[in-house]
Amino acid sequence: MEKVLLASACLFALAAPASAADLAARPYTKAPVAVASVYNWTGFYIGIVGGGAWENGSGDPKMKGGFVGGTAGYNWQTGNVVFGVEADGAWADVSASATGATVVPGFGVVTATASSKTDAMGTVRGRIGYAVNQVLFYGTGGYAWIDNKITLSALGVTASDSKWHSGWTVGAGVEAFFAPQWSVKGEYLYRSLGGETYFSGALPTGTLNFHTVQVGLNYHFGGPVVAKY
């Protein structure tokens, strides 16, 4: 048995170098290339929006207040240029009131209060901008609307009438991704709404013009991040 073990050891010792020589060389593995995140703005999004509005005019009092609501839109990107369409609607509390003396036939001079309140507003707009990766600078313009109510009070009697005002809007903003599917934006809009006649033709109004500043938070479907090597 001792001779068999010695012979086996000798054969193993002779075979080992040959086996090592037969082993394949370790393959070379190239280091992975770093991946850069590139944002593509194409796609559908929804979000929330809120801000402040104040009337542009020479007289006082001027309507002012805040609003909050929702928004939805779609973007198309070609190169660095981004085209889009967006709609928003908001609940609003933008108002003003004035109290003074007025003449009422049969009663003489009485104290009366008149107030105007916009309780809803919105837009449907086109957008065009220039994207610098995750940041978009854009201009915007289109259709604007408000739902406004005028209330008159005198001698313990109150009367109200509501009208829908339509017009146009134009403005600009900046939007930026802070996560793969989330973006935040800041925007300025000038809104010009045509005049309407309240109380069956008794009280016509002129054009209502508003400055608005708003911020928004949007969720983009589909994930706008693509990998670039």
Side-chain angles (χ1 to χ4, degrees):
M1 180 61 69
E2 183 179 358
K3 291 180 179 181
V4 174
L5 291 175
L6 289 174
S8 299
C10 291
L11 289 173
F12 178 78
L14 292 173
S19 299
D22 291 337
L23 292 177
R26 183 179 180 183
Y28 171 74
T29 302
K30 186 178 180 180
V33 178
V35 178
S37 294
V38 176
Y39 286 78
N40 189 311
W41 288 80
T42 298
F44 178 72
Y45 62 90
I46 60 172
I48 57 175
V49 65
W54 62 99
E55 187 179 1
N56 178 50
S58 57
D60 284 316
K62 296 182 178 67
M63 297 173 66
K64 59 183 178 179
F67 58 91
V68 63
T71 185
Y74 193 91
N75 291 318
W76 297 266
Q77 181 170 353
T78 174
N80 291 95
V81 180
V82 177
F83 302 90
V85 60
E86 182 176 286
D88 60 65
W91 294 276
D93 185 2
V94 181
S95 61
S97 64
T99 299
T102 187
V103 176
V104 177
F107 293 91
V109 178
V110 300
T111 299
T113 299
S115 64
S116 180
K117 178 183 178 182
T118 294
D119 53 21
M121 62 199 316
T123 67
V124 179
R125 296 174 281 119
R127 300 200 310 173
I128 182 170
Y130 188 85
V132 183
N133 204 5
Q134 74 266 37
V135 181
L136 175 65
F137 302 91
Y138 63 90
T140 182
Y143 170 74
W145 61 268
I146 63 170
D147 186 21
N148 194 71
K149 179 171 70 174
I150 291 180
T151 302
L152 303 177
S153 299
L155 299 173
V157 178
T158 299
S160 298
D161 192 15
S162 296
K163 295 293 181 181
W164 181 282
H165 294 250
S166 293
W168 55 268
T169 182
V170 65
V174 59
E175 186 171 359
F177 280 102
F178 63 90
Q181 291 177 281
W182 292 94
S183 68
V184 63
K185 72 176 182 180
E187 192 172 66
Y188 164 80
L189 294 177
Y190 181 83
R191 311 180 193 220
S192 182
L193 295 311
E196 293 291 339
T197 302
Y198 290 73
F199 300 104
S200 301
L203 182 60
T205 69
T207 301
L208 297 175
N209 299 315
F210 290 96
H211 300 282
T212 62
V213 176
Q214 58 196 46
V215 294
L217 178 68
N218 291 329
Y219 178 83
H220 298 254
F221 292 89
V225 180
V226 296
K228 181 179 180 180
Y229 294 89

